[in-house]
PDB file of all heavy atoms in Angstrom:
ATOM      1  N   VAL A 239     -12.056  20.283   8.825  1.00 95.00           N
ATOM      2  CA  VAL A 239     -12.351  21.705   8.895  1.00 95.00           C
ATOM      3  C   VAL A 239     -12.047  22.329   7.531  1.00 95.00           C
ATOM      4  O   VAL A 239     -10.997  22.066   6.933  1.00 95.00           O
ATOM      5  CB  VAL A 239     -11.508  22.382   9.996  1.00 95.00           C
ATOM      6  CG1 VAL A 239     -11.625  23.904   9.906  1.00 95.00           C
ATOM      7  CG2 VAL A 239     -11.943  21.886  11.375  1.00 95.00           C
ATOM      8  N   GLY A 240     -12.966  23.131   7.026  1.00 93.00           N
ATOM      9  CA  GLY A 240     -12.757  23.833   5.758  1.00 93.00           C
ATOM     10  C   GLY A 240     -13.034  23.035   4.513  1.00 93.00           C
ATOM     11  O   GLY A 240     -12.939  23.584   3.405  1.00 93.00           O
ATOM     12  N   ASP A 241     -13.375  21.756   4.637  1.00 93.00           N
ATOM     13  CA  ASP A 241     -13.603  20.944   3.444  1.00 93.00           C
ATOM     14  C   ASP A 241     -14.872  21.417   2.726  1.00 93.00           C
ATOM     15  O   ASP A 241     -15.959  21.387   3.302  1.00 93.00           O
ATOM     16  CB  ASP A 241     -13.739  19.466   3.823  1.00 93.00           C
ATOM     17  CG  ASP A 241     -13.599  18.547   2.625  1.00 93.00           C
ATOM     18  OD1 ASP A 241     -14.031  18.924   1.519  1.00 93.00           O
ATOM     19  OD2 ASP A 241     -13.047  17.442   2.794  1.00 93.00           O
ATOM     20  N   PRO A 242     -14.765  21.834   1.460  1.00 88.00           N
ATOM     21  CA  PRO A 242     -15.940  22.346   0.754  1.00 88.00           C
ATOM     22  C   PRO A 242     -16.857  21.256   0.216  1.00 88.00           C
ATOM     23  O   PRO A 242     -17.972  21.537  -0.212  1.00 88.00           O
ATOM     24  CB  PRO A 242     -15.322  23.136  -0.406  1.00 88.00           C
ATOM     25  CG  PRO A 242     -14.052  22.396  -0.691  1.00 88.00           C
ATOM     26  CD  PRO A 242     -13.542  21.924   0.644  1.00 88.00           C
ATOM     27  N   VAL A 243     -16.400  20.000   0.239  1.00 91.00           N
ATOM     28  CA  VAL A 243     -17.174  18.906  -0.348  1.00 91.00           C
ATOM     29  C   VAL A 243     -17.684  17.940   0.709  1.00 91.00           C
ATOM     30  O   VAL A 243     -18.871  17.611   0.753  1.00 91.00           O
ATOM     31  CB  VAL A 243     -16.326  18.143  -1.396  1.00 91.00           C
ATOM     32  CG1 VAL A 243     -17.122  16.969  -1.971  1.00 91.00           C
ATOM     33  CG2 VAL A 243     -15.884  19.086  -2.514  1.00 91.00           C
ATOM     34  N   TYR A 244     -16.784  17.471   1.560  1.00 91.00           N
ATOM     35  CA  TYR A 244     -17.153  16.486   2.582  1.00 91.00           C
ATOM     36  C   TYR A 244     -17.246  17.208   3.926  1.00 91.00           C
ATOM     37  O   TYR A 244     -16.279  17.301   4.675  1.00 91.00           O
ATOM     38  CB  TYR A 244     -16.119  15.363   2.639  1.00 91.00           C
ATOM     39  CG  TYR A 244     -15.890  14.710   1.296  1.00 91.00           C
ATOM     40  CD1 TYR A 244     -14.794  15.065   0.489  1.00 91.00           C
ATOM     41  CD2 TYR A 244     -16.778  13.754   0.809  1.00 91.00           C
ATOM     42  CE1 TYR A 244     -14.594  14.471  -0.743  1.00 91.00           C
ATOM     43  CE2 TYR A 244     -16.579  13.157  -0.431  1.00 91.00           C
ATOM     44  CZ  TYR A 244     -15.485  13.520  -1.195  1.00 91.00           C
ATOM     45  OH  TYR A 244     -15.289  12.935  -2.422  1.00 91.00           O
ATOM     46  N   ARG A 245     -18.418  17.740   4.231  1.00 81.00           N
ATOM     47  CA  ARG A 245     -18.568  18.569   5.419  1.00 81.00           C
ATOM     48  C   ARG A 245     -19.951  18.366   6.018  1.00 81.00           C
ATOM     49  O   ARG A 245     -20.866  17.869   5.367  1.00 81.00           O
ATOM     50  CB  ARG A 245     -18.386  20.042   5.069  1.00 81.00           C
ATOM     51  CG  ARG A 245     -19.392  20.541   4.037  1.00 81.00           C
ATOM     52  CD  ARG A 245     -19.126  21.967   3.643  1.00 81.00           C
ATOM     53  NE  ARG A 245     -20.051  22.416   2.611  1.00 81.00           N
ATOM     54  CZ  ARG A 245     -20.004  23.610   2.045  1.00 81.00           C
ATOM     55  NH1 ARG A 245     -19.086  24.480   2.408  1.00 81.00           N
ATOM     56  NH2 ARG A 245     -20.873  23.959   1.123  1.00 81.00           N
ATOM     57  N   ARG A 246     -20.075  18.781   7.271  1.00 63.00           N
ATOM     58  CA  ARG A 246     -21.404  18.790   7.862  1.00 63.00           C
ATOM     59  C   ARG A 246     -22.052  20.136   7.562  1.00 63.00           C
ATOM     60  O   ARG A 246     -21.388  21.072   7.120  1.00 63.00           O
ATOM     61  CB  ARG A 246     -21.332  18.521   9.358  1.00 63.00           C
ATOM     62  CG  ARG A 246     -20.670  19.594  10.203  1.00 63.00           C
ATOM     63  CD  ARG A 246     -20.505  19.069  11.630  1.00 63.00           C
ATOM     64  NE  ARG A 246     -20.029  20.111  12.527  1.00 63.00           N
ATOM     65  CZ  ARG A 246     -19.605  19.866  13.760  1.00 63.00           C
ATOM     66  NH1 ARG A 246     -19.601  18.637  14.224  1.00 63.00           N
ATOM     67  NH2 ARG A 246     -19.195  20.856  14.524  1.00 63.00           N
ATOM     68  N   GLY A 247     -23.326  20.224   7.808  1.00 55.00           N
ATOM     69  CA  GLY A 247     -24.143  21.341   7.361  1.00 55.00           C
ATOM     70  C   GLY A 247     -23.582  22.730   7.514  1.00 55.00           C
ATOM     71  O   GLY A 247     -23.149  23.356   6.553  1.00 55.00           O
ATOM     72  N   ALA A 248     -23.568  23.291   8.716  1.00 45.00           N
ATOM     73  CA  ALA A 248     -23.225  24.702   8.890  1.00 45.00           C
ATOM     74  C   ALA A 248     -21.803  24.881   9.391  1.00 45.00           C
ATOM     75  O   ALA A 248     -21.258  24.032  10.087  1.00 45.00           O
ATOM     76  CB  ALA A 248     -24.197  25.344   9.877  1.00 45.00           C
ATOM     77  N   LYS A 249     -21.200  25.995   9.022  1.00 55.00           N
ATOM     78  CA  LYS A 249     -19.887  26.345   9.553  1.00 55.00           C
ATOM     79  C   LYS A 249     -20.029  26.590  11.056  1.00 55.00           C
ATOM     80  O   LYS A 249     -20.923  27.292  11.515  1.00 55.00           O
ATOM     81  CB  LYS A 249     -19.363  27.603   8.867  1.00 55.00           C
ATOM     82  CG  LYS A 249     -17.941  27.985   9.280  1.00 55.00           C
ATOM     83  CD  LYS A 249     -17.495  29.282   8.617  1.00 55.00           C
ATOM     84  CE  LYS A 249     -17.323  29.120   7.139  1.00 55.00           C
ATOM     85  NZ  LYS A 249     -16.772  30.336   6.504  1.00 55.00           N
ATOM     86  N   VAL A 250     -19.127  26.023  11.829  1.00 54.00           N
ATOM     87  CA  VAL A 250     -19.242  26.111  13.287  1.00 54.00           C
ATOM     88  C   VAL A 250     -18.655  27.407  13.821  1.00 54.00           C
ATOM     89  O   VAL A 250     -19.167  28.007  14.743  1.00 54.00           O
ATOM     90  CB  VAL A 250     -18.557  24.891  13.940  1.00 54.00           C
ATOM     91  CG1 VAL A 250     -18.573  25.010  15.447  1.00 54.00           C
ATOM     92  CG2 VAL A 250     -19.262  23.613  13.505  1.00 54.00           C
TER      93      VAL A 250
END
Side-chain angles (χ1 to χ4, degrees):
V239 170
D241 196 326
V243 178
Y244 306 99
R245 60 184 177 183
R246 67 188 187 191
K249 185 183 292 185
V250 176

